Amino acid sequence: MPADAPPSATRRDPERAADAPPLGGPEPRVRQLVLKLHGRCNLACDHCYVYRHADQGWRERPRLIGPGTVDRVADRLAAHVTRHRTGRVRVVLHGGEPLLAGVPVIDRTVRTLRAAMPTGTTLDFAVQTNGVLLDERFLALFHEHEIDVGVSLDGDRDANDRHRRHPDGRGSHAEVAAALRLLARPEHRARYAGLLCTVDLANDPVRVYDSLLEFTPPRLDLLLPHGNWSQPPPGRRPGGTDTPYGDWLVAVFDRWYRETPRRTGIRLFESLIALVLGGRSGTQALGGGEPDVMTVETDGTIEGTDTLKTTAEASMRTGYDVFRHSLDEALRHPSLAGRPTGPAALAPACRSCPVVSACGGGLYAHRFRAGAGFAHPSVYCPDLYRLIRHVRSVVAADLDAVRHRIAAPDGTRSGGAGPSGAGPSGAGTGGSAAAPAGRAATGRPAVAGMPPVRLPAGR
C-alpha cells in the first residue's frame, strides 16, 4: 500500500465489528496520539532512541508524512473517539524533528485533524522539538492553533553538547538557548510547555537543574536514558545494587522540593508524590498505568509507544496501518493495550516489593530482556527503589509535621510547609501543605489514600 494512498483507496465498511459502538464496559482507548510528521532529524544525538537503538524501521519510511496519510489518520481517530465517546485526546506532533515538516504541513495537519472530530471532542496539540528551527514563523502558527511547545535540552553547554550535536559534530546549545529565550518572552510564554532533559551521570545534577531554570520553564521532565537488561544504560550494571541514577535524581528532588516558592514543576517528582499519597501517575515511567499512547509513523504504520524501539525490532512492528485497520484493531496488539497490565505484567519480585504501588514496575521498555520478554523488574530497579523510598520518607515527615501542628495543645490550626520548607501538595509550582492540613482539620484523612506514605518496617 502506498504511504500516501488516498482515503478512498481502502475505506472499510463502517459496519464492521471493530468500528461498531462498544457493547460492554470500559475498553482500552487512545488518549494520546503521537503523530510522526517527519522521519528524519537535523541533529545526531548519540542517545536518541529512534535512530540509535534496535528498531531501524525509520530507514524504510518516507521522510515526510503525506496529505493522504493525514486524512486517513483523521478518519480513524474520528471513528475511535466517536465509538468511545472520548471528550479529549492529546496529539503530539513528533519526529525525527517535526519542524522539518515546515509550517504549511503542520498547518494542514492540525486543520485536517480538528475538522474531522465529532462535536464534543477536543484535540489538544503539542509539539516536541529540539528547538534548533524554532522561530517567529513557527510560533505564529502555534499561537493560531494553540499548539504547546516542548523543547529538549540536557543542561548547560557542556552537558547538552556532549550528546545533542549536529551531524558534523557542532553542539546545539547556542541555537536551542536562543529559541528558548524567544519562547519565554511574554508574548509567547502561553505556548511554552516545558523542557525535556535526559539524565546523564557525567553531569552534576544540581548544576543541570539550575541551568535549566535559567530558561524559566513552566515544567521539566527528567528522563532516564533508555536501556534494558540486554542493552543496559550507561553506568547501570544489570543486577548491581548501586544506585547512581537514584542518587542523581534524589539530589535534584531535594533541591526542587525545598524551594519556596517552587520555580517549576517536575513531572517525575510530581507523579511520585501523587502516587505515594494514593493518587495517579502522570508519566508512563511510574505507576504501572494502562497503555493509552499510540504512535502513527510517516507512512501510516500504527505502533505502540516509541520507547519500545529500544528493545527489539519486532516489539514495535504491529502489522497495522491507518489505511487497512481501525485504531481499535491496533490497540489489541501486545505493544499497545493487548499487553498484560497491572500485577499480571509484573515479575514476582515486583509484586511483593514494598514500593510497587508507586513504582509499578517502571517503564515497560526498561524491563526487557532479549529472548525472555518483559516480565522482569526494571533495569533501574535499585535506582527507582532508592528514589521512591527517599520521596516517601520526606513526604511522610512533612505530613506528620502538619498533623502535629493541627493537634497543637493551644488548639491553633496552621497549614503551611513541613520542616523541608515545602509541603507535599507542592507537586504544583509554589505549592504547600496548606490544602491537606485544611482537610485534615475536618476529621477526614488529609489526602485520600494516605496509608501508602507509611513506610514498611525496616525503614
Side-chain angles (χ1 to χ4, degrees):
M1 179 63 58
D4 196 23
S8 60
T10 54
R11 190 175 298 277
R12 301 168 69 246
D13 183 353
E15 300 302 321
R16 284 192 53 167
D19 295 318
L23 299 177
E27 291 183 288
R29 67 184 66 187
V30 176
R31 298 191 185 278
Q32 179 168 299
L33 182 71
V34 178
L35 184 59
K36 300 301 187 79
L37 299 185
H38 204 284
R40 305 296 186 269
C41 191
N42 50 350
L43 295 184
C45 307
D46 61 15
H47 55 16
C48 180
Y49 61 81
V50 175
Y51 305 112
R52 300 299 183 106
H53 282 276
D55 187 344
Q56 292 292 298
W58 62 273
R59 299 179 183 275
E60 307 164 5
R61 298 189 176 107
R63 289 175 176 267
L64 184 65
I65 195 168
T69 304
V70 173
D71 291 345
R72 203 59 176 136
V73 171
D75 290 345
R76 294 301 188 185
L77 184 58
H80 180 78
V81 300
T82 298
R83 180 182 186 221
H84 294 277
R85 300 179 178 87
T86 304
R88 182 167 246 109
V89 176
R90 179 176 174 83
V91 179
V92 181
L93 307 176
H94 213 273
E97 169 48 47
L99 301 194
L100 286 173
V103 168
V105 170
I106 297 175
D107 179 61
R108 183 190 184 279
T109 297
V110 173
R111 291 181 187 278
T112 299
L113 291 173
R114 281 206 168 120
M117 293 305 106
T119 301
T121 295
T122 299
L123 298 185
D124 296 320
F125 281 91
V127 61
Q128 185 63 40
T129 172
N130 59 36
V132 171
L133 299 177
L134 187 63
D135 59 17
E136 291 282 5
R137 293 177 308 119
F138 281 109
L139 286 171
L141 176 71
F142 298 156
H143 281 295
E144 179 182 357
H145 292 301
E146 298 185 329
I147 302 173
D148 292 335
V149 184
V151 179
S152 300
L153 184 72
D154 289 347
D156 59 17
R157 184 185 300 272
D158 290 341
N160 184 79
D161 289 354
R162 184 176 294 113
H163 301 290
R164 297 188 185 275
R165 300 186 176 201
H166 287 271
D168 61 5
R170 290 178 297 117
S172 62
H173 184 271
E175 295 160 286
V176 180
L180 287 172
R181 286 190 287 270
L182 175 64
L183 183 59
R185 288 180 186 174
E187 65 268 30
H188 297 315
R189 189 165 179 82
R191 300 275 62 87
Y192 193 178
L195 299 177
L196 183 154
C197 171
T198 299
V199 173
D200 184 345
L201 296 177
N203 299 330
D204 177 83
V206 174
R207 181 178 173 183
V208 166
Y209 176 62
D210 288 343
S211 67
L212 296 175
L213 287 180
E214 292 178 10
F215 299 103
T216 62
R219 199 172 188 82
L220 297 178
D221 215 350
L222 299 176
L223 301 184
L224 292 170
H226 292 306
N228 53 65
W229 292 95
S230 298
Q231 297 290 331
R236 176 71 264 162
R237 297 183 300 113
T241 58
D242 54 331
T243 59
Y245 287 94
D247 297 341
W248 200 100
L249 291 169
V250 163
V252 179
F253 174 81
D254 285 345
R255 176 62 170 267
W256 169 80
Y257 189 81
R258 290 182 171 89
E259 288 183 323
T260 305
R262 297 211 181 106
R263 298 166 62 187
T264 189
I266 300 182
R267 184 169 69 150
L268 177 66
F269 300 153
E270 291 172 343
S271 293
L272 187 46
I273 290 171
L275 286 164
V276 301
L277 294 175
R280 294 184 178 183
S281 175
T283 171
Q284 293 184 333
L286 294 169
E290 299 289 326
D292 57 6
V293 179
M294 178 177 284
T295 302
V296 177
E297 296 285 350
T298 56
D299 62 353
T301 297
I302 300 174
E303 297 182 340
T305 179
D306 251 1
T307 56
L308 291 176
K309 292 181 183 295
T310 64
T311 58
E313 190 168 3
S315 297
M316 287 293 292
R317 301 299 177 92
T318 65
Y320 296 104
D321 62 70
V322 295
F323 297 106
R324 298 177 297 166
H325 308 96
S326 71
L327 302 193
D328 285 281
E329 289 175 291
L331 275 173
R332 301 179 192 133
H333 190 269
S335 70
L336 289 145
R339 68 173 168 87
T341 58
L346 301 178
C350 294
R351 296 174 200 168
S352 59
C353 178
V355 301
V356 67
S357 61
C359 173
L363 190 72
Y364 191 62
H366 294 169
R367 309 177 206 173
F368 178 78
R369 187 188 298 271
F374 295 86
H376 310 282
S378 169
V379 70
Y380 287 107
C381 178
D383 301 289
L384 294 174
Y385 191 83
R386 160 93 167 99
L387 175 63
I388 293 168
R389 290 289 291 263
H390 178 77
V391 171
R392 289 177 71 172
S393 67
V394 170
V395 171
D398 271 359
L399 288 175
D400 284 343
V402 170
R403 290 192 188 96
H404 289 319
R405 287 180 179 173
I406 295 170
D410 61 3
T412 60
R413 294 176 179 173
S414 64
S420 70
S425 71
T429 303
S432 72
R439 287 194 292 273
T442 67
R444 296 189 293 273
V447 179
M450 276 284 293
V453 303
R454 294 302 181 190
L455 297 176
R459 167 182 166 186

